[in-house]
């Protein structure tokens, strides 16, 4: 581990563990987002992890740690505590802090953009650059690797045929659960809640997405380089 700056390291010991996590959270469901973004009606049946890279962005992690501490303190009093919010990624990879509903979640992108996010972190002003903002302008993550894969794109050059997935730490805190689309950002930025769950699983049987309206609530920890696997291969 490094002490300062920004570094990206190969983490080959994580490949099998991350492969299993993506396998376990991969659900083969056709959605409107996949059709609109990829223009391809095919749904991958899984993925094959080629490599895992660990991100050490010290400035970014410091901001994340301060935000986590603030949320934990704010939710420690009676009447404001956050209820446990269960996700499919719970109890995987590393120990996380249950007091603030700290979670691991996925974010699909392309290899080049994954490296850019690792260096510059997530930016709310870039929200919706891949698609619309169903629940307001924020950082959209998912508990299912297959949901985040809808927004992943293949790279070029040495990344030809390969997509990228960021595995992120996120402070969910007190979660606002909704089933309808609208801009709910003010209910989080006001401090009433700390994050939002867009529950399209309950609404239409597809997926849940977690949305964060504070950039420092999300820290990308791993870059996963992978190939999609289709049933016809």
């Amino acid at each position: 581990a490094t002490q300062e700056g920004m570094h990206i390291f190969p983490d080959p010991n994580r490949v099998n563990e991350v492969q299993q996590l993506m396998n376990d959270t991969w659900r083969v469901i056709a959605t409107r987002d996949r059709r609109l973004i990829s223009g391809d009606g095919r749904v991958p049946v899984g993925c094959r992890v080629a490599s895992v890279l660990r991100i050490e962005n010290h400035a970014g992690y410091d901001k994340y740690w301060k935000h986590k501490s603030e949320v934990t303190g704010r939710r420690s009093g009676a009447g404001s505590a956050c209820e446990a919010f269960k996700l499919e990624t719970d109890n995987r990879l590393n120990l996380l802090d249950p007091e603030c509903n700290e979670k691991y979640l996925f974010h699909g992108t392309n290899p080049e953009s994954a490296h850019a996010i690792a260096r510059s972190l997530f930016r709310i002003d870039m929200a919706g650059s891949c698609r619309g903002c169903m629940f307001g302008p924020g950082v959209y993550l998912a508990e299912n690797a297959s949901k985040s894969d809808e927004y992943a794109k293949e790279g070029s050059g040495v990344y030809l045929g390969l997509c990228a997935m960021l595995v992120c730490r996120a402070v969910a805190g007190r979660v606002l659960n909704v089933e309808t689309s609208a801009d709910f950002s003010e209910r989080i930025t006001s401090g009433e809640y700390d994050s939002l769950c867009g529950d399209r699983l309950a609404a239409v049987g597809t997926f849940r997405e977690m949305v964060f309206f504070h950039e420092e609530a999300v820290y990308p920890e791993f870059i996963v380089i992978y190939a999609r696997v289709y049933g016809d291969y």
Side-chain angles (χ1 to χ4, degrees), residues 174-219:
R174 187 181 183 208
V175 181
L176 173 63
N177 198 79
V178 301
E179 296 182 17
T180 57
S181 61
D183 186 348
F184 294 97
S185 57
E186 285 191 7
R187 298 192 67 182
I188 284 76
T189 57
S190 68
E192 181 185 2
Y193 291 90
D194 303 304
S195 67
L196 176 144
C197 174
D199 196 347
R200 303 298 289 168
L201 176 62
V204 295
T206 54
F207 297 100
R208 298 192 297 179
E209 286 189 276
M210 298 295 295
V211 189
F212 299 84
F213 299 97
H214 297 96
E215 296 168 346
E216 60 272 21
V218 180
Y219 174 74

Side-chain angles (χ1 to χ4, degrees), residues 27-85:
R27 295 171 58 227
V28 183
I29 297 176
T31 67
R32 188 171 72 92
D33 279 351
R34 186 176 289 278
R35 292 193 300 272
L36 290 176
I37 294 167
S38 70
D40 187 346
R42 297 185 304 162
V43 181
V45 298
C47 67
R48 184 176 65 256
V49 174
S51 64
V52 175
L53 306 168
R54 188 179 77 257
I55 301 164
E56 291 188 5
N57 185 322
H58 291 273
Y61 190 76
D62 284 347
K63 292 179 181 178
Y64 173 80
W65 181 264
K66 289 177 182 177
H67 179 77
K68 187 172 81 164
S69 298
E70 290 172 2
V71 171
T72 301
R74 188 167 64 247
R75 299 303 175 198
S76 61
S80 61
C82 50
E83 297 180 3
F85 195 85

Side-chain angles (χ1 to χ4, degrees), residues 22 26 34 44 46-51 53 107-115 148-156 158-166 223-230:
M22 294 180 73
W26 199 280
R34 186 176 289 278
C47 67
R48 184 176 65 256
V49 174
S51 64
L53 306 168
H107 181 84
T109 184
N110 61 69
E112 294 81 5
S113 293
H115 282 79
S148 293
D149 174 70
E150 294 177 1
Y151 314 114
K153 295 182 179 180
E154 294 183 4
S156 58
V158 296
Y159 292 115
L160 188 65
L162 296 172
C163 299
M165 189 82 69
L166 290 167
I223 300 173
V224 182
I225 304 299
Y226 70 98
R228 291 171 171 139
V229 175
Y230 293 92

